[in-house]
Amino acid sequence: MPSYKAPVEDFLFLFHDFLKIQERGDLPGFADMTRDMTSAVLEGGAQFCEEVLQPLNQPGDEEGCHFENGTVRVPKGFRQAWRQFCEAGWNRLSAPEEAGGAGLPRVISYAITEMGMAANQAFAMYPGLTGAAYAALWATGEPWMKEHVAPKMIAGEWTGTMCLTEPNCGTDLRLMKTRAVEQPDGTYRLTGTKIFISGGDHDLTDNIIHMVIAKIPDENGKLHDDLATVNFFLVPKVLVDPETGAVGARNAVTTGAIEKKMGIKGNATCVLNFDEAVAWRLGPKPQKGGAADERSKSAGMAGMFGMMNIARMGVGVQGVAIGEVALQNGVSYANERLAGRALTGVKNPDQNADPIIVYPDVRRLLLGARAAIEGGRALIAWVAFLSSIEQFSKDEAERTEAKDLGNLMIPVVKAYLTDKGFEAANAAMQVWGGHGYIRENGMEQFVRDARINQVYEGANGIQALDLVARKMTSKGGRATLTYFAKLEAFLKENEKDAQIGALIPALRQGYADMGEAAGWLMNNAPENYDHAGAASYDMLNIFGIVTLGWLWARMARTAQEKLEKGEGDPAFWKRKLVLARYWMERELPNTGACLARIKAGADTLMELDAAHF
Ligand SMILES: Cc1cc2nc3c(=O)[nH]c(=O)nc-3n(C[C@H](O)[C@H](O)[C@H](O)COP(=O)(O)OP(=O)(O)OC[C@H]3O[C@@H](n4cnc5c(N)ncnc54)[C@H](O)[C@@H]3O)c2cc1C
C-alpha cells in the first residue's frame, strides 16, 4: 500500500521564509501565525491525514460508494473519519469566526486541503465542496441563511454541493433546462436534472445544501438561451425553516443514480432530480426588464463565480496533492528497486544491481515532477496570500493589484497544475515499471484519481480560453500589464545578482516568448478568433512555465540567502537550488515551442472538413 508524509517543512518554508506571512499582521488572522503556531497546525493536520485519511484511500477506491433503494452510502470508515475530521475542526480553518470557523489565513487552510487531497482525494472532496458552498452562501445569502444554514455547514453537520452540470451541458451553461419559478411567498420551485454532482448524496450528514444554478423563465414560462436568465439558488435536501432554523420535511430532491467511474470512487457522483423543489434565490432580485448584462451582474451570480473560483483553486490543489503523494511513492520505489548498473560505474557493490534512481532517465521523471509540484505549491500559496490581501488590505491599490493578479492566475492554477499533477502521477507510475500497472500497488489509482482534475470545474481547455479571452484582456489588459511589470522589475533587479543571476537568462527568454505570443495574438486574433482558440492552450502553458520559473527564481534567492547566513538545513536549501536550475534548464525552453505553435495560427487546425477527421 502506498504511504504519505505531509510536506510540512516545505509549507513552513513557503509561508515563513518565502512569503513571510508573519510580516502581515495587518491582515486578520495573520498576527497569530508565528512559525511555531503554523507548525503546530500543520503537524496536527499532517498526523490526521497520514494516520486516518490515507489508510482509507485504497480501500475506499476498491469498495466505492453504494446506491441502494434511493440511499447513498460512502465506503467503510468514511463516516467515522468525517466525524473526527469535523470534531478536530480541519473543515473550517478559514471559515469566519462569527459562524464558528477558526478565521485562519487561507494559505494555512489550503495546506491542510492539500494534505487531505493527497491522503484521500475522494474523502477530502466532501469538505472541499462544502467549503466552496458555504463561502458562497456567506457572500450572498440572506441573514437567516447565515444564521441557520452556514454555521451547520461550517460545523460539518451538513455538507454542500455545487450543481451546475446537466445532461446536455457542462461547459455551455446557456443551454441548461433547469427552471426556477417564483412563488407568491418569494421562494421558488426548482425543476430539472443535474448530473455528475460530487457529494450529491451520501450518509455522512443528515442534510445537504445544494447550491444550484437554474433559469428563471419569462412571463410566458419560456426559457431563453441567455446567461442573464441564469440565477443562483439554495436548495436544501431537507427543508429548513427560515424563522427558526428547524429542519422539516424532505425537499423534492431525489437521487437518480450514482456514477460508476474511473477514479475518486469514494466520492459519490450523483444524478439529482429536482421536482418542484423549494428553492431560495441568492442575491438581490433580478430587475425585470433590465438590460441582460445588468441582470447578469447580480450579487447571486457573483457569488456563483466566487464559488467557482474557490473550487478552481481547490482543484489546482488536488493536482499538486496527487502529484506529491504519487511522487513520494515513486521516489521510495526508485531507491529500492534494483536493476542493471549505473552508466558511470557500479554504485551499489554489495548487491548484484544498482537502485534505479542512479539512472538519469529515472531522475528526469522524478525531478520533473518534484520541480512542478513544489513550484505549483508555491503558486497556490502565493495566490492564496493574494486572496487575503485582496479581501483585507487597507491599501486600495494593493487590494486591486492582488485581485487582478489572483484572477489572472486562477485558470493557470486550475489547468496547469492539474496537468502537471497528472503528469507527476503518471511519471511516478512509470518509475514502478509493470508493478505500477498492478492495482494492489496503488500507483495506478493516483493516475485514475488525478485524471478528473483536468476535466471538472471547467475542462482545462476552457480554462485556457478563460485566460486568453477574458483574464488577459479584461479592463484593457490591466492584470496582464501588472504581471508583466512585476516580472520585468524582478528580471532587471536580479540579472546581475551574484546569487541567482545565472537563473535569469532562461526566465528572460520565457518572458520574451510570452510577450511575443501576446503581441501575436493582439495582432492576429481580432481578425480571426480561431487564432485565439488555437493559441489558448499554449498561452496557458507559457503562463504556467514562466510563473513557476519566476517563483523558482525567487525561492532560489531565499535559499541562497539562508545558505549564506547558515540558517536552517543546508540540504533543504541546496535541493531548492537544484530544482530551480532544473526548471530553468528543462522546462523554460518549452516556451519557445509554445510560441512556435501559437504563431502557426489556426489555419491547419481548421482546414479539414469535420467529416475527414
Ligand atoms: C467525477 C465528476 C465530478 C463532477 N462534479 C461536478 C459537480 O460537483 N458539479 C457540477 O456541476 N459538475 C460536476 N462535474 C461536471 C464537470 O464539471 C463537467 O463534466 C465539465 O465541466 C465538462 O462539461 P461536459 O462534460 O458537459 O463537457 P462538454 O461541455 O460537452 O465539453 C466536452 C469537451 O469539449 C470542449 N469544449 C466545449 N466547449 C468548448 C468551447 N467553447 N471551446 C473549446 N472547447 C470546448 C471541452 O473542453 C471538453 O474537452 C463532474 C464531472 C465528473 C466526471
Side-chain angles (χ1 to χ4, degrees):
M1 193 192 260
S3 62
Y4 173 61
K5 184 95 189 78
V8 171
E9 203 187 357
D10 202 33
F11 285 121
L12 287 172
F13 156 71
L14 285 174
F15 302 160
H16 290 287
D17 300 315
F18 183 57
L19 295 174
K20 298 192 169 71
I21 62 167
Q22 66 279 9
E23 293 177 5
R24 290 308 302 256
D26 57 311
L27 306 174
F30 280 66
D32 299 336
M33 296 320 294
T34 60
R35 198 179 188 106
D36 284 349
M37 177 64 162
T38 310
S39 177
V41 175
L42 295 179
E43 289 292 355
Q47 189 182 2
F48 186 87
C49 294
E50 291 163 9
E51 294 177 7
V52 180
L53 297 187
Q54 199 274 336
L56 295 173
N57 192 39
Q58 212 178 2
D61 178 63
E62 289 292 332
E63 185 190 336
C65 294
H66 306 269
F67 183 56
E68 287 155 12
N69 305 322
T71 302
V72 177
R73 282 191 293 109
V74 294
K76 281 187 206 66
F78 274 40
R79 278 165 59 87
Q80 200 191 341
W82 173 261
R83 271 196 301 276
Q84 289 174 261
F85 188 78
C86 299
E87 271 164 25
W90 299 121
N91 60 330
R92 52 182 180 275
L93 291 178
S94 291
E97 282 176 282
E98 58 270 41
L104 295 186
R106 287 214 180 119
V107 283
I108 309 289
S109 60
Y110 277 122
I112 302 294
T113 302
E114 186 197 310
M115 294 178 194
M117 295 292 176
N120 191 331
Q121 178 169 329
F123 176 93
M125 283 172 65
Y126 293 106
L129 279 156
T130 304
Y134 70 59
L137 197 57
W138 198 252
T140 60
E142 291 175 31
W144 72 266
M145 298 171 186
K146 292 188 186 181
E147 189 184 346
H148 299 309
V149 181
K152 296 266 186 197
M153 298 167 82
I154 289 168
E157 288 176 47
W158 299 347
T159 61
T161 68
M162 281 174 53
C163 301
L164 283 71
T165 307
E166 300 188 7
N168 64 317
C169 69
T171 302
D172 188 356
L173 295 171
R174 284 176 318 119
L175 306 180
M176 75 170 59
K177 293 184 176 154
T178 299
R179 62 168 58 221
V181 179
E182 192 171 8
Q183 306 298 303
D185 66 358
T187 63
Y188 287 74
R189 293 293 175 273
L190 190 140
T191 302
T193 297
K194 295 286 178 181
I195 63 166
F196 299 161
I197 303 308
S198 298
D201 202 2
H202 55 70
D203 57 349
L204 292 174
T205 56
D206 297 334
N207 204 1
I208 302 174
I209 303 301
H210 302 295
M211 306 293 278
V212 187
I213 57 171
K215 283 180 182 166
I216 298 180
D218 67 14
E219 342 14 89
N220 303 316
K222 195 169 174 304
L223 296 182
H224 295 273
D225 289 345
D226 176 359
L227 265 187
T229 66
V230 174
N231 280 266
F232 191 32
F233 297 89
L234 177 149
V235 189
K237 172 177 164 179
V238 183
L239 287 168
V240 183
D241 182 340
E243 294 289 318
T244 64
V247 285
R250 269 295 293 261
N251 203 354
V253 187
T254 51
T255 304
I258 59 173
E259 304 294 346
K260 292 192 170 66
K261 56 191 193 290
M262 176 177 177
I264 54 163
K265 296 188 183 193
N267 193 275
T269 308
C270 301
V271 176
L272 294 182
N273 296 315
F274 297 84
D275 187 9
E276 302 230 317
V278 179
W280 284 269
R281 191 180 171 283
L282 294 157
K285 257 173 116 57
Q287 294 167 16
K288 280 211 172 102
D293 60 341
E294 205 179 298
R295 278 179 282 149
S296 71
K297 280 186 200 145
S298 74
M301 288 308 283
M304 191 201 77
F305 288 121
M307 177 170 81
M308 284 165 70
N309 270 352
I310 294 175
R312 284 174 183 169
M313 268 291 278
V315 177
V317 173
Q318 291 173 351
V320 168
I322 297 268
E324 172 68 45
V325 64
L327 180 58
Q328 287 185 14
N329 288 280
V331 170
S332 52
Y333 190 79
N335 277 295
E336 286 161 17
R337 178 71 174 173
L338 303 181
R341 286 298 189 191
L343 304 173
T344 47
V346 174
K347 298 284 186 292
N348 186 23
D350 298 340
Q351 284 172 296
N352 59 355
D354 287 333
I356 58 174
I357 198 148
V358 300
Y359 299 115
D361 191 56
V362 171
R363 286 169 167 253
R364 170 186 67 81
L365 291 167
L366 296 173
L367 216 56
R370 178 50 72 206
I373 296 311
E374 289 187 18
R377 181 174 297 126
L379 174 58
I380 288 165
W382 178 49
V383 176
F385 191 36
L386 288 175
S387 80
S388 293
I389 294 171
E390 174 194 338
Q391 207 179 349
F392 300 115
S393 171
K394 294 192 177 65
D395 176 344
E396 193 186 335
E398 192 191 35
R399 277 202 311 275
T400 305
E401 185 181 284
K403 184 175 182 180
D404 283 351
L405 289 173
N407 278 341
L408 184 70
M409 285 296 123
I410 288 286
V412 180
V413 167
K414 196 283 171 181
Y416 186 69
L417 298 188
T418 57
D419 282 356
K420 286 287 160 192
F422 179 74
E423 277 174 29
N426 215 17
M429 183 178 136
Q430 186 73 13
V431 168
W432 276 63
H435 299 271
Y437 202 71
I438 303 303
R439 203 148 138 186
E440 67 176 286
N441 292 322
M443 296 305 288
E444 54 84 56
Q445 185 191 343
F446 296 133
V447 177
R448 286 187 287 107
D449 285 356
R451 188 64 184 83
I452 186 58
N453 301 332
Q454 298 169 293
V455 176
Y456 60 18
E457 257 334 300
N460 283 1
I462 302 302
Q463 301 299 322
L465 284 176
D466 180 44
L467 176 73
V468 167
R470 204 172 301 149
K471 301 292 167 62
M472 282 181 72
T473 53
S474 76
K475 299 196 173 79
R478 193 174 76 188
T480 313
L481 294 175
T482 302
Y483 177 98
F484 284 177
K486 284 192 143 333
L487 186 49
E488 179 65 50
F490 176 85
L491 291 168
K492 276 217 178 88
E493 202 181 300
N494 289 284
E495 54 204 346
K496 300 217 167 59
D497 188 285
Q499 297 172 333
I500 62 156
L503 300 174
I504 300 301
L507 186 55
R508 180 163 282 292
Q509 182 58 50
Y511 172 53
D513 291 342
M514 180 186 254
E516 196 174 335
W520 190 90
L521 274 176
M522 270 170 61
N523 290 332
N524 293 280
E527 76 192 35
N528 179 358
Y529 289 159
D530 278 339
H531 286 322
S536 55
Y537 217 87
D538 284 301
M539 196 71 210
L540 184 132
N541 274 311
I542 293 185
F543 260 90
I545 295 166
V546 170
T547 305
L548 262 58
W550 183 16
L551 289 163
W552 269 120
R554 288 159 57 191
M555 289 193 283
R557 192 170 63 184
T558 306
Q560 192 70 45
E561 283 165 8
K562 293 282 177 189
L563 265 179
E564 284 172 14
K565 285 188 199 155
E567 287 174 12
D569 174 8
F572 183 86
W573 306 125
K574 186 159 176 260
R575 200 171 140 276
K576 288 284 179 200
L577 290 170
V578 170
L579 289 170
R581 257 176 39 222
Y582 173 94
W583 199 260
M584 304 305 164
E585 287 173 10
R586 289 182 163 260
E587 286 294 336
L588 265 159
N590 290 330
T591 59
C594 292
L595 174 63
R597 281 193 294 267
I598 288 172
K599 286 163 71 175
D603 296 349
T604 306
L605 291 181
M606 302 314 289
E607 188 168 329
L608 280 187
D609 190 273
H612 296 143
F613 268 78

